[in-house]
Amino acid sequence: MNLLLIDLETTGLDAETNGILSICAKLYSGDRKVITSYYAECTSEDSKVDLAALKVNRYSISKLQSFKNEKETMFNFCDWLISLPTNGEIVLCGHNVHFDIGFIKSKLRKYNISGFDQAVSHRVIDTASIGRFLTLTGH
């Protein structure tokens, strides 16, 4: 089983109106070695920007001016996804990963791209849930 760790930074909490600022993804093999990784920063002119989100993410308005276009970044991310090795299941993993998956799917719909669920497994590991469970059980 391979683990695909994903983390996004966004311009806010609404996947329909806010945009993606950065995508970081690393594919790990079953023996915990990095197989490949992807990182890009992007912005979209039609996305709302929440200044509180920029403060949390440590981005500035002026820094956004140097970012690539969100559409181009999503196309490149998809090219990276379909280039992943097909030997074995790819399980998505991340901290509050359902938020990140929702943003990715929203942007793929925006750019008329389908098939994200087929490119990776439907199985998901959320480290926030694991951490919460361990805290509640005193570990």
Side-chain angles (χ1 to χ4, degrees):
M1 170 182 68
N2 298 321
L3 282 177
L4 178 58
L5 273 65
I6 293 181
D7 186 41
L8 299 184
E9 299 302 334
T10 65
T11 65
L13 300 176
D14 186 341
E16 299 303 318
T17 60
N18 295 116
I20 294 174
L21 291 171
S22 67
I23 301 175
C24 182
K26 285 190 179 201
L27 182 65
Y28 288 86
S29 64
D31 57 354
R32 297 181 295 203
K33 293 183 179 157
V34 176
I35 298 171
T36 183
S37 61
Y38 179 88
Y39 180 78
E41 294 175 317
C42 62
T43 190
S44 173
E45 289 183 12
D46 64 344
S47 293
K48 290 184 180 178
V49 176
D50 182 338
L51 294 178
L54 294 183
K55 188 171 185 175
V56 168
N57 297 330
R58 296 186 180 103
Y59 285 101
S60 65
I61 294 288
S62 60
K63 185 174 181 178
L64 299 183
Q65 303 304 313
S66 66
F67 287 2
K68 291 182 182 177
N69 176 277
E70 182 185 77
K71 182 177 183 179
E72 176 187 348
T73 299
M74 292 310 297
F75 285 2
N76 291 337
F77 178 67
C78 288
D79 284 345
W80 180 79
L81 270 180
I82 61 177
S83 75
L84 296 179
T86 56
N87 57 335
E89 180 180 35
I90 297 175
V91 176
L92 285 171
C93 182
H95 201 73
N96 293 317
V97 72
H98 295 286
F99 174 83
D100 295 340
I101 292 168
F103 250 90
I104 291 169
K105 287 181 177 181
S106 173
K107 299 312 166 192
L108 293 180
R109 276 192 307 277
K110 177 180 176 180
Y111 301 119
N112 297 313
I113 302 169
S114 61
F116 179 77
D117 291 328
Q118 290 73 37
V120 296
S121 169
H122 66 280
R123 299 189 192 284
V124 175
I125 298 171
D126 184 4
T127 59
S129 296
I130 293 170
R132 180 84 172 129
F133 171 78
L134 291 173
T135 299
L136 290 173
T137 59
H139 292 90

